[in-house]
Amino acid sequence: MRTLVRGGMVVSMDPAVGDLPQGDLLIEDGRIAAIAADVDTADAEVVDARGKIVMPGFIDTHRHTWQTAFRGIGANWTFREYGAAMHGTLRPHYRPEDVYLGNLLGRIEALSSGVTTMLDWFHCSDRPENADAAIQALRDAPGHSVFCYGAGFADDSIAAEVKRVRSQLTDDGMALGLRGPQLTSMDTTAADVALARELGLRVSVHVHAATGWPSGDRPIAEMRDRGLLDDRTTFVHANGISDDQVAMMADAGCSVTISPDVELKMGFGWPETGRMLAAGIRPSLSVDDCPSAGGDMFATMRTAFSVQRGLNGGLTARDFVEFATVDGARTCGLDARTGSLGVGKDADFILLDAEDLTVFPVTDPIGTVVSAGHPGLVDSVFIAGKPVKRNGRLLGVDLPALRTRLLESRARVAEAAGVALDGSWTPNAGAPRR
């Protein structure tokens, strides 16, 4: 099949292509076959992109998607309240059906707002059926997804379960979420890294200074000393890490994903975009959790951009679009396939309405996307050249039925946990974070 996307404002994020004030994109068999100011071809279905920004889909490198049913409930929570609520109070009552619906609706919502690739950092793995339900939901939702298996916070062996899950997924469809070094021992961290390397998995690990460290404040140095750092390691947040440990991460080729809204409101510290870039690490961006923050990459970019400009003014809007696209692809190990618009890449792209009154007239597409972009602009989403959203509407998704099922799931979990949904619930921050 051949599709010609014609006449849009092309933001390629590929230095060899650049930006085209008006350009065409030719898609063949799910990949980009040509991209230029004018592509002359016959026998292709034409998508009229006049009045649209054509750009790579966003890549979210860290989202706890299973929590979608409780969107917005934690807007005022501290980090400890979030841990007590989601892990101590609600998570024990999640059944596989609840996991499935949270992951399915959360992935569809991300897709609708332009996220074509997402890493699902799953830590509701209380039983094998939960992991299976999460994976099935990601399969049932359009878009590329990486299932990052997080085994919770205990020191028990996870090898058998991780190998079972690994057998269900492709080489680039799974990662391992480390339990330490912040919440478990370094020995457990070393065992998990060894398991990931045995299975050929990338690893992702939460680390920040907000809650202190179980054994000193130099976990990255200890990981380095044990040979646990490499270019398949992604650190989540990394707020407050000492300069020399940031240098260790850079030397090892590690990546970092930054979730600015959650980091700021939960007291992790300033988002580290500029600091990581200065150290030689190109960060990516992520939503983190929807109980506490919005689920779209536009808001995530804008928060990170505004904060960094306020701190030192050193980065531009283009930097943050790179963080949300090509650098996100690199973080997931998918940069050879996606994250930019270039010949041979997967045709994962979005069309943004440049004639919407909230952005019209578009003079600088990059600046517009970062300073004024929002999910309402997402007119179309294509995955491997196939449209999954057109003219502002998702295709092949029965949203009314899914909404009904998610509301029923939320009500059941809340009732089982004894939680009110009228805004009056304040979690006990002293409860176990598990």
Side-chain angles (χ1 to χ4, degrees):
M1 294 183 60
R2 292 156 59 88
T3 302
L4 182 65
V5 182
R6 180 172 294 239
M9 291 179 276
V10 178
V11 176
S12 75
M13 308 314 296
D14 183 335
V17 176
D19 298 339
L20 305 174
Q22 182 172 314
D24 298 346
L25 198 67
L26 179 63
I27 313 301
E28 293 183 354
D29 298 323
R31 294 181 181 272
I32 299 172
I35 179 169
D38 183 29
V39 176
D40 185 15
T41 187
D43 301 323
E45 178 185 0
V46 175
V47 174
D48 185 358
R50 291 173 298 178
K52 306 291 191 298
I53 298 170
V54 183
M55 65 177 294
F58 299 122
I59 299 178
D60 183 341
T61 52
H62 152 242
R63 186 184 301 216
H64 305 302
T65 324
W66 62 273
Q67 302 172 358
T68 300
F70 289 90
R71 182 186 303 278
I73 197 171
N76 300 313
W77 287 347
T78 65
F79 178 58
R80 291 188 180 278
E81 287 172 338
Y82 161 81
M86 293 310 305
H87 292 286
T89 303
L90 296 174
R91 194 188 83 196
H93 300 285
Y94 264 71
R95 302 179 306 191
E97 171 75 358
D98 305 310
V99 169
Y100 175 82
L101 290 168
N103 262 37
L104 181 60
L105 267 291
R107 184 64 189 97
I108 289 173
E109 179 255 331
L111 181 86
S112 183
S113 67
V115 176
T116 52
T117 298
M118 189 188 77
L119 184 141
D120 174 38
W121 217 111
F122 182 73
H123 49 11
C124 187
S125 51
D126 302 68
R127 57 179 69 90
E129 294 81 5
N130 282 5
D132 294 344
I135 292 168
Q136 188 59 53
L138 297 178
R139 287 175 173 158
D140 290 347
H144 300 307
S145 299
V146 178
F147 180 70
C148 182
Y149 181 90
F153 313 122
D155 288 304
D156 303 332
S157 174
I158 60 172
E161 175 62 4
V162 171
K163 290 178 180 179
R164 185 191 72 82
V165 172
R166 177 74 177 89
S167 68
Q168 304 178 46
L169 296 162
T170 61
D171 288 346
D172 56 13
M174 183 179 176
L176 182 61
L178 301 185
R179 293 172 283 176
Q182 193 144 13
L183 297 172
T184 60
S185 70
M186 191 60 70
D187 286 343
T188 296
T189 302
D192 287 353
V193 171
L195 177 62
R197 290 174 176 174
E198 174 189 346
L199 299 177
L201 301 177
R202 303 180 70 86
V203 300
S204 182
V205 51
H206 290 76
V207 61
H208 55 80
T211 56
W213 313 101
S215 56
D217 62 355
R218 296 184 59 76
I220 294 168
E222 190 168 350
M223 289 182 71
R224 190 275 311 268
D225 293 345
R226 290 192 180 210
L228 305 181
L229 301 182
D230 59 25
D231 61 0
R232 296 171 66 84
T233 306
T234 298
F235 286 97
V236 180
H237 305 310
N239 308 83
I241 302 301
S242 64
D243 289 343
D244 68 318
Q245 291 184 98
V246 172
M248 294 173 195
M249 293 158 55
D251 289 344
C254 301
S255 55
V256 173
T257 178
I258 290 168
S259 312
D261 292 288
V262 166
E263 290 164 10
L264 287 165
K265 69 168 55 178
M266 289 191 180
F268 293 3
W270 297 114
E272 301 279 17
T273 46
R275 186 164 170 244
M276 293 299 160
L277 195 59
I281 300 173
R282 292 205 60 87
S284 62
L285 298 176
S286 55
V287 164
D288 195 334
D289 74 270
C290 286
S292 302
D296 68 276
M297 196 59 71
F298 297 99
T300 300
M301 285 190 293
R302 185 153 52 250
T303 297
F305 176 63
S306 298
V307 169
Q308 192 60 53
R309 294 286 288 187
L311 287 172
N312 62 20
L315 301 182
T316 68
R318 183 173 293 273
D319 289 311
F320 289 86
V321 176
E322 289 176 353
F323 298 159
T325 55
V326 64
D327 292 322
R330 188 177 298 111
T331 294
C332 292
L334 298 172
D335 48 309
R337 291 180 46 192
T338 191
S340 61
L341 303 182
V343 173
K345 291 285 188 78
D346 288 353
D348 300 338
F349 63 95
I350 59 179
L351 305 184
L352 306 181
D353 185 359
E355 296 182 344
D356 187 279
L357 291 182
T358 58
V359 296
F360 182 84
V362 173
T363 304
D364 172 8
I366 289 280
T368 296
V369 167
V370 176
S371 65
H374 56 85
L377 301 179
V378 182
D379 173 87
S380 300
V381 179
F382 288 76
I383 302 294
K386 179 181 178 181
V388 296
K389 183 179 183 180
R390 288 291 282 131
N391 302 315
R393 298 183 65 86
L394 289 165
L395 305 179
V397 178
D398 187 351
L399 285 179
L402 290 176
R403 287 189 182 107
T404 298
R405 292 172 65 191
L406 188 73
L407 290 175
E408 292 171 350
S409 168
R410 183 186 65 169
R412 191 204 65 78
V413 173
E415 182 179 6
V419 168
L421 296 176
D422 59 3
S424 63
W425 178 37
T426 300
N428 177 7
R433 294 179 57 207
R434 293 173 56 190

